[in-house]
Amino acid sequence: MARNEEKAQSMLNRFIALKEQEKKKPKERRPYLASECRDLAEADKWRQQIMREIGRKVAEIQNEGLGEHRLRDLNDEINKLIREKSHWERRIVELGGPNYAKHAPKMTDLEGNIVDVPNPSGRGPGYRYFGAAKKLPGVRELFEKPPELRKRRTRYDIYKRIDASYYGYRDDEDGVLEKVEVPAEERLRAAAEEEWMRMDEIRREARKGAKEVVSVGAVATEVLFEEEEDVVDEERKREREKEERERKEKEREFVVHVPLPDEKEIERMVLEKKKMELLSKYASNTLLEEQSEAKAMLNIQS
C-alpha cells in the first residue's frame, strides 16, 4: 500500500511541476545586437546579466592551476563580455539612461597601480588581462615598467639653470661672505704694511750709501758727460749732412735730352691719323694706292 502511495505522490509531483512550467513564460534570450532593444529596463537587465557572467568568469580565472590554455580562453571570453557590456551601456545612454561607462573601474597591474590599456583601434576598451592571466608568459612583461634611461642634458638645459648666483653676484646677500672676508682682509693689510716698512728701511739705507759714494764718483761723472757730449755732436753733424744731401737731390731739375714736338706738330699728327682711319674705312685699297702714286708724282708730302 505504501508503495502505491509513493508512486501516486511521485506522479502528483511531476504533474505539479509540468503545470508550473506551462504557466511560466518561455525563457528570453539576450539580443545579439544592442540596437535591437527598444526598452530601457530591458537594456539595463541585459547589462546586469552580462555583469553577472563577467563576475563568475573573473572568479574562475583567479585559479592558477587551470592551465595556460584554459586561462587564455577565459580571458578572451571576459574581454568579449566587456565589449558587449560597453555596447549595452552606449545603448542605455541612447535610450536616456545613466552613463555607466563614466564610472567604470580602471585597469591595474600586479601591484595594483592603474595602467593605461593599449587600444590601437580606438573603439571601446582595449584588451585586458585578469587574475592569473597577468602571470602568463609574455603577459608579465607588458606590466613591467621599462628602466628609466637617464637623459643626457643638452647645452640649452645647462644654460637654462644658470643665473646670477652661478657667477657669484649674490654671494654678499646672505652675509656669510662678509664675516669671512673681514679677518682675511685685516691679515692681508697687516702683511702689506710690514712689507712696505721693510722696503722703506732698505731705501733709507741705500740713500745713505749713495751720499758717501757721490763725492768719489763726481769726477768720473764729469768725464763721462763730456765724452757723451762729443758723441752726440758727431751724430748730429752726420744727420745734418745727410739731410742736406737729400735736399739737394730733390732740388735738381729733370733735364730732357730728346726733342719733344710742339702743340702744332701734335695737332697735325692727330689730324693725319684720323684722315687715314676715314680713308681706310670708306676707300678701297686700289684708290689709296692711286692716290699715293699721284702724290709721289706731284711731289706732295702728306
Side-chain angles (χ1 to χ4, degrees), residues 158-256:
I158 295 173
Y159 283 126
K160 189 168 61 176
R161 301 184 180 183
I162 293 177
D163 53 2
S165 301
Y166 177 81
Y167 295 101
Y169 294 139
R170 297 178 180 172
D171 293 345
D172 299 336
E173 294 181 359
D174 54 0
V176 177
L177 187 62
E178 186 178 358
K179 295 178 182 179
V180 178
E181 283 182 347
V182 169
E185 185 178 357
E186 292 178 354
R187 288 195 301 270
L188 292 174
R189 188 186 297 276
E193 290 177 356
E194 291 177 1
E195 181 68 16
W196 185 85
M197 295 293 290
R198 187 176 65 82
M199 294 300 296
D200 186 62
E201 186 69 23
I202 292 172
R203 282 195 295 271
R204 289 178 182 176
E205 292 179 357
R207 288 196 192 97
K208 290 180 182 178
K211 289 179 181 178
E212 295 176 357
V213 176
V214 78
S215 59
V216 178
V219 177
T221 304
E222 291 178 358
V223 174
L224 290 173
F225 183 72
E226 290 178 357
E227 291 180 356
E228 288 179 356
E229 284 184 348
D230 295 338
V231 173
V232 170
D233 292 339
E234 291 179 359
E235 289 291 333
R236 289 177 179 175
K237 186 177 180 180
R238 291 195 195 96
E239 289 179 358
R240 284 195 298 270
E241 291 177 356
K242 185 177 179 181
E243 290 176 356
E244 186 69 20
R245 284 196 304 270
E246 291 178 354
R247 185 177 60 79
K248 288 180 179 180
E249 289 177 357
K250 289 181 181 180
E251 290 178 354
R252 289 177 184 177
E253 294 182 357
F254 181 73
V255 180
V256 179

Side-chain angles (χ1 to χ4, degrees), residues 3-14:
R3 185 65 177 171
N4 294 334
E5 289 181 359
E6 289 177 2
K7 289 180 180 180
Q9 187 68 25
S10 173
M11 290 293 291
L12 181 60
N13 291 335
R14 286 199 297 270

Side-chain angles (χ1 to χ4, degrees), residues 8-65:
Q9 187 68 25
S10 173
M11 290 293 291
L12 181 60
N13 291 335
R14 286 199 297 270
F15 177 76
I16 293 172
L18 289 173
K19 286 294 183 182
E20 288 179 356
Q21 289 179 2
E22 290 177 357
K23 291 178 181 179
K24 287 183 181 180
K25 295 181 180 179
K27 188 175 181 181
E28 293 180 343
R29 188 176 181 181
R30 187 167 67 234
Y32 182 73
L33 297 176
S35 58
E36 296 177 357
C37 183
R38 298 288 187 272
D39 188 9
L40 178 60
E42 289 185 1
D44 198 4
K45 181 183 69 174
W46 299 129
R47 178 184 173 276
Q48 294 295 332
Q49 184 184 26
I50 294 172
M51 293 288 291
R52 287 192 294 271
E53 293 179 7
I54 291 173
R56 286 196 300 269
K57 293 184 181 295
V58 169
E60 185 179 357
I61 204 173
Q62 304 299 325
N63 186 4
E64 298 182 4

